[in-house]
Amino acid sequence: MISATHLRAASAEVTVLSNRTEVTDWARRYFGPWWAASAVEASSVCAGPVVVAAVDPTEYAALTLQIHDGRHTEEVEYARHQMLVARDGEDIIAASPDEAIAYRYTATTGRLELSGIGVIELALAAARLAREVVRGQLLRDGWAVLHASAVVRPADGATLLAFGGKGAGKTTTALLLASAGWQLLANDRVLVRPSGERDVEVVPWPSAAALGLGLVDSLGWGAAARGHLQEGGAFHPTQHETVTESLLAGDFSPLWEPDMRRERKVQVFPDQFAPLFGVELATGGRAAGLLFPRVDAVGSPHVSDGAHLLGLGEDDFMSGATEDRYPDVFELAGGVDGGGRRSARDEVTARLAKLPHLRVRLSHDVPASVAALRKAAETI
């Protein structure tokens, strides 16, 4: 039996089809209200971009063999896995040995087929590629992708964007405001497009949220996360098993990879925010202000004017230079840079430069940090 999940973001859409309901259920759960995910009848899908993900070891083996038949291949890293990419006439074919998944993309029909062995691996890959299909459509339609977290004021759709490098506090800023009544639109990236004469429209870029154990504890979410696991629930499967063990033990000390360069974090599905942590999701908004947070463990939370800050730079966009996890191997964006066309990025930068800019110093004192962010939000 074939099942289907339809996704829509702004003017873009894609349908995920599979011979395993776990795959389409995963897409519906992962994108949820952010991209209007809904179950549809597979028989009704007769046009438009589709991602077909089938558990089919025979087809996987056949397509993998075709890639290794002596034709020219390119080796790339995609989602931290090795992928071999080649051409078969007009089609692009690929194989990811680590995941045991093979791919075929036919540009003339917009059909992207995945054949694999493991259900979970296939579900993850299908969701990634469905998101890339939507991103490709939106990039061609004048959108850009920003490295920023975002929250929306429910009353009027005003959206605050938080910028900064890794560890600056973008996610912390968004979650603190979301816990104070704002709606979470994105924890790491957003899609943006100039709208009207001066507005910048914002829609979500769905992804699992990576939350440090210390942040989960300071937000008061530790008991809910632990209880969820104790009742047989789970978080995103990319979560390291040591994080799960720490949650179950009630230990919220930070965990690090052996090289101490990356923290192991709780990986939260988008659809878990509301039932577990009381955080509502937003589906879109209008840029109204820019925040530049910095976390200082011992300092006092503080808000200051950031009008003197320089404009956004290349690192603030998900461009080919900064995006290292999802190269456009299937040419879904038609040659448009991963961060958006230069004209779109320049116009977004110019419009955001005219909005209020605020520096925000946060600390481990959550109530004081929330109060500082509320003060910042009052100026928007």
Side-chain angles (χ1 to χ4, degrees), residues 1-368:
M1 179 179 177
I2 304 299
S3 58
T5 291
H6 183 261
L7 311 172
R8 178 182 293 278
S11 59
E13 60 183 334
V14 65
T15 304
V16 179
L17 298 99
S18 180
N19 61 350
R20 296 293 294 267
T21 57
E22 297 97 323
V23 174
T24 50
D25 286 348
W26 184 284
R28 189 164 61 255
R29 178 184 185 188
Y30 191 83
F31 295 101
W34 266 341
W35 278 7
S38 61
V40 296
E41 290 292 332
S43 59
S44 69
V45 182
C46 57
V50 296
V51 173
V52 183
V55 176
D56 189 339
T58 301
E59 180 60 25
Y60 165 69
L63 190 49
T64 299
L65 184 62
Q66 187 176 7
I67 291 169
H68 291 280
D69 66 359
R71 70 187 67 221
H72 173 74
T73 61
E74 179 184 0
E75 182 176 331
V76 300
E77 184 174 313
Y78 187 87
R80 299 199 175 101
H81 293 286
Q82 177 204 45
M83 180 182 282
L84 296 175
V85 184
R87 294 273 180 177
D88 182 32
E90 296 296 318
D91 291 359
I92 298 174
I93 57 177
S96 177
D98 293 346
E99 301 171 288
I101 298 175
Y103 305 81
R104 176 182 292 275
Y105 176 59
T106 305
T108 54
T109 62
R111 186 180 181 90
L112 180 54
E113 298 177 352
L114 290 70
S115 302
I117 297 174
V119 176
I120 294 299
E121 293 81 0
L122 201 64
L124 285 166
R128 284 196 299 264
L129 267 300
R131 188 172 58 187
E132 291 303 296
V133 170
V134 168
R135 175 170 69 145
Q137 294 176 59
L138 293 179
L139 290 177
R140 297 194 305 271
D141 199 29
W143 292 75
V145 186
L146 282 172
H147 280 293
S149 68
V151 290
V152 175
R153 187 162 55 200
D156 58 4
T159 302
L160 289 175
L161 300 167
F163 293 89
K166 188 176 181 63
K170 296 190 299 295
T171 297
T172 299
T173 297
L175 294 180
L176 288 174
L177 279 167
S179 68
W182 288 61
Q183 295 176 333
L184 180 65
L185 187 135
N187 63 283
D188 184 59
R189 297 171 184 171
V190 290
L191 288 146
V192 290
R193 181 179 68 171
S195 175
E197 294 184 0
R198 59 181 181 179
D199 288 340
V200 174
E201 186 179 358
V202 188
V203 298
W205 170 270
S207 67
L211 313 181
L213 286 163
L215 177 59
V216 171
D217 185 41
S218 64
L219 287 168
W221 295 353
R226 185 184 185 194
H228 176 65
L229 294 174
Q230 290 174 329
E231 293 171 2
F235 290 102
H236 195 279
T238 56
Q239 178 172 296
H240 198 276
E241 60 184 11
T242 58
V243 176
T244 302
E245 292 166 359
S246 291
L247 285 173
L248 285 169
D251 182 0
F252 297 94
S253 304
L255 293 172
W256 297 89
E257 297 288 351
D259 61 7
M260 299 299 291
R261 296 178 63 182
R262 292 182 60 204
E263 185 180 356
R264 292 174 176 172
K265 298 183 177 183
V266 183
Q267 302 288 333
V268 181
F269 275 107
D271 75 339
Q272 291 177 322
F273 275 108
L276 289 182
F277 308 130
V279 170
E280 297 298 326
L281 303 183
T283 59
R286 170 187 48 80
L290 282 64
L291 302 178
F292 296 86
R294 177 173 63 88
V295 178
D296 183 346
V298 297
S300 299
H302 178 69
V303 178
S304 60
D305 181 63
H308 61 286
L309 295 171
L310 297 176
L312 302 183
E314 288 299 311
D315 287 346
D316 293 306
F317 290 90
M318 192 172 76
S319 66
T322 58
E323 173 53 39
D324 59 356
R325 293 186 62 190
Y326 308 111
D328 191 14
V329 295
F330 297 106
E331 301 176 4
L332 300 169
V336 179
D337 182 274
R341 289 191 176 93
R342 169 57 62 186
S343 58
R345 295 197 305 241
D346 287 348
E347 184 61 23
V348 165
T349 299
R351 294 188 181 199
L352 292 182
K354 298 176 182 178
L355 299 177
H357 289 46
L358 297 172
R359 285 188 180 276
V360 183
R361 184 173 66 200
L362 305 174
S363 75
H364 292 175
D365 183 338
V366 170

